[in-house]
Amino acid sequence: HLATSLPLPSERDHLRPRIDLIVFMIDIKSKYSLKIVEASLAYVDASFFLGKVCFLVTGVGRVNACSIETSAVCKLGEAYCSPVLFCELELEGIRASTAQRLLRMLQICAGHIPGVSALSFISLMRNSDDD
Amino acid sequence: NADPQKTAFLLRKAWTLYSVTPLYRFHRARLRDYARLLSAFIAAEKQKGLAVEVGVELDIKVAVSSLADLRGSEQDQAAVLVQLSLRSQASSRNSEDKLVWLGWFCSVYGDDLSENVPEDFTCLPLFLTHGAESYTSMVGSWFQKTFDCCFRRLAISPLNLSWMVAMWAGCKLDRAASAVELVFSVPHLSQPLDISYAIHPEDAKALWDTVQKTPGEITQEEVDVFMDCLYSHFHRHFKIHLSAAKLVKVSTAVASAHCDGIVKILHSQYLPGVLMLLTELAISQIQ
């Protein structure tokens, strides 16, 4: 399900399935996208930040078109205890591997992988970041 | 500090920017030799028929000189200027050689690079050119072959352009300044659309003065606040989010810069400051 911002329209609340993972997409070429994400975060219930949120930064292939500082996004990830993934959607290979990564995360968050919870997965990812 | 008369020729020209890796075994005592060698190289390239401009007879005179005053700290190498002129055809005393191309290498507070470089290397990370691209490529090829260095066009990201406009809009100028202008390019449209946003220079400076906390120091947060104010002002009037568009060019009374790496410096007082910023960009592109 795609949305341009949060909160989601309340009219369809009763039709909506359970949300297992929220991916906030930030386009490194658009300051506006960061602002929208920052504003939308306020509408997310705190329980999601236990491994069911991740930030996806797109457009990183074009270093010269940056309108956002990478450190600002990393700080956001740290503040919300959620991983930050970087990708370039214009490259098919990276697009495919990013999609696979997100799908894997979603499987874990939806509880389809026995023995791995969203929370344990997140702490695994954070430990590798610190290295 | 540089004598304004000597550096006057640098002002009000559109310079195309390149980053240059350190030059190997560049000797300042041999500048005249280098001029001769470069001249011979260009003549040979013309013979080969490369980069010929139709209708122009080419007898190119090359001059390579040092600009002792153009540097930041004592650690910086003095700037090196390369001038290409068309030798005058007429023999009369009054005819002067016509300058067709100018290029200069410089380093203003480029200590980050020069500190870490071995003995035989000369660090002049910023290269600025004015004139036909064909000459630029010939001069660049010769330098690359002779000093084993590498040239790359220096692109300027929207992030860096916003630093520039914040810094330059805040500069104190004695006489009436021209408007502060930002040009945005709107993505994802079938027809390209450019939005030009002009601000009265006094308003821009007043805004920057309320944002900047420590004179002489600028932080990313301050630049963000400055730009956010400009964006929200625009949005209030036109309902367009400029923050979603790409900032491609900024213009102030001090200098103007385009994301393709083209800069024009308009005010001699701020020449060192602008060059210092450009040197920093060049160094970060090299590293």
Side-chain angles (χ1 to χ4, degrees):
Chain A
H1 180 90
L2 285 175
T4 52
S5 70
L6 295 180
L8 296 175
S10 53
E11 307 88 62
R12 297 185 59 83
D13 268 345
H14 59 290
L15 295 171
R16 213 168 279 127
R18 186 189 69 204
I19 295 174
D20 291 313
L21 175 67
I22 305 179
V23 180
F24 286 100
M25 294 183 65
I26 299 170
D27 181 358
I28 210 155
K29 306 189 294 296
S30 164
K31 192 95 194 280
Y32 181 59
S33 67
L34 181 62
K35 292 263 178 273
I36 295 281
V37 163
E38 283 170 343
S40 300
L41 281 164
Y43 293 99
V44 176
D45 186 77
S47 61
F48 276 94
F49 295 106
L50 297 173
K52 301 197 174 185
V53 166
C54 105
F55 296 98
L56 181 66
V57 182
T58 67
V60 298
R62 297 187 185 279
V63 175
N64 293 321
C66 279
S67 292
I68 305 176
E69 266 205 324
T70 330
S71 58
V73 185
C74 291
K75 269 199 220 142
L76 192 65
E78 272 167 36
Y80 286 93
C81 303
S82 300
V84 181
L85 302 181
F86 293 90
C87 77
E88 174 51 77
L89 294 179
E90 286 181 34
L91 298 174
E92 201 190 307
I94 299 186
R95 204 164 59 223
S97 61
T98 306
Q100 282 175 340
R101 258 182 111 172
L102 289 175
L103 205 51
R104 203 77 182 125
M105 284 179 72
L106 180 57
Q107 283 177 320
I108 293 171
C109 292
H112 291 183
I113 311 287
V116 186
S117 72
L119 198 49
S120 63
F121 182 65
I122 282 294
S123 49
L124 258 178
M125 282 191 78
R126 288 187 67 189
N127 285 336
S128 63
D129 273 347
D130 291 338
D131 293 334
Chain B
N1 267 319
D3 176 7
Q5 279 208 332
K6 290 207 196 119
T7 53
F9 75 98
L10 302 175
L11 302 178
R12 286 176 292 280
K13 280 196 178 69
W15 298 101
T16 306
L17 306 176
Y18 296 80
S19 66
V20 188
T21 56
L23 306 169
Y24 183 61
R25 295 218 172 133
F26 176 82
H27 300 295
R28 224 161 265 271
R30 298 193 58 200
L31 294 184
R32 294 266 276 274
D33 289 339
Y34 296 149
R36 268 188 306 108
L37 292 169
L38 178 53
S39 184
F41 179 79
I42 292 177
E45 294 291 300
K46 292 293 176 192
Q47 287 274 340
K48 279 195 245 168
L50 296 173
V52 175
E53 279 172 36
V54 179
V56 184
E57 266 321 301
L58 282 318
D59 191 6
I60 296 286
K61 192 169 88 169
V62 177
V64 181
S65 54
S66 231
L67 292 170
D69 297 331
L70 216 49
R71 65 166 96 190
S73 66
E74 281 308 307
Q75 278 75 31
D76 284 323
Q77 292 281 334
V80 174
L81 176 65
V82 179
Q83 291 172 289
L84 265 51
S85 353
L86 260 184
R87 231 178 273 274
S88 59
Q89 297 290 329
S91 54
S92 91
R93 233 176 289 139
N94 292 330
S95 63
E96 274 181 14
D97 294 334
K98 180 172 166 245
L99 190 62
V100 292
W101 185 92
L102 264 180
W104 49 297
F105 297 83
C106 80
S107 171
V108 179
Y109 294 106
D111 304 337
D112 275 351
L113 187 63
S114 52
E115 275 171 351
N116 301 319
V117 131
E119 276 282 317
D120 288 329
F121 286 91
T122 306
C123 287
L124 288 164
L126 186 63
F127 184 52
L128 305 92
T129 70
H130 177 79
E133 164 63 32
S134 52
Y135 291 124
T136 305
S137 101
M138 283 192 277
V139 173
S141 309
W142 184 81
F143 271 89
Q144 286 188 150
K145 282 202 336 222
T146 314
F147 304 108
D148 200 24
C149 59
C150 184
F151 288 80
R152 263 178 71 197
R153 273 296 286 267
L154 185 65
I156 308 178
S157 68
L159 203 54
N160 288 319
L161 285 175
S162 49
W163 267 80
M164 288 174 184
V165 74
M167 275 194 337
W168 299 340
C171 287
K172 197 161 116 67
L173 291 171
D174 21 334
R175 54 176 194 280
S178 54
V180 171
E181 194 191 346
L182 297 93
V183 180
F184 295 83
S185 150
V186 183
H188 311 310
L189 295 179
S190 50
Q191 297 273 20
L193 176 68
D194 278 354
I195 299 178
S196 165
Y197 181 11
I199 306 154
H200 194 284
E202 279 169 22
D203 291 345
K205 175 150 172 39
L207 174 60
W208 178 247
D209 287 342
T210 62
V211 171
Q212 187 181 30
K213 294 190 204 74
T214 323
E217 261 178 47
I218 304 183
T219 64
Q220 181 64 51
E221 287 79 32
E222 288 167 353
V223 174
D224 286 342
V225 169
F226 179 77
M227 295 303 290
D228 283 343
C229 287
L230 298 183
Y231 291 149
S232 28
H233 180 83
F234 196 86
H235 182 254
R236 224 191 333 252
H237 292 278
F238 300 103
K239 299 288 176 266
I240 293 178
H241 289 286
L242 286 177
S243 51
K246 181 183 177 193
L247 181 57
V248 294
K249 182 175 176 190
V250 299
S251 254
T252 64
V254 168
S256 68
H258 187 281
C259 62
D260 288 341
I262 300 173
V263 145
K264 212 184 248 190
I265 307 169
L266 303 164
H267 210 277
S268 59
Q269 185 187 348
Y270 294 102
L271 178 63
V274 174
L275 291 179
M276 181 168 85
L277 180 54
L278 297 178
T279 303
E280 208 183 302
L281 287 185
I283 291 175
S284 59
Q285 186 167 277
I286 293 170
Q287 287 177 332

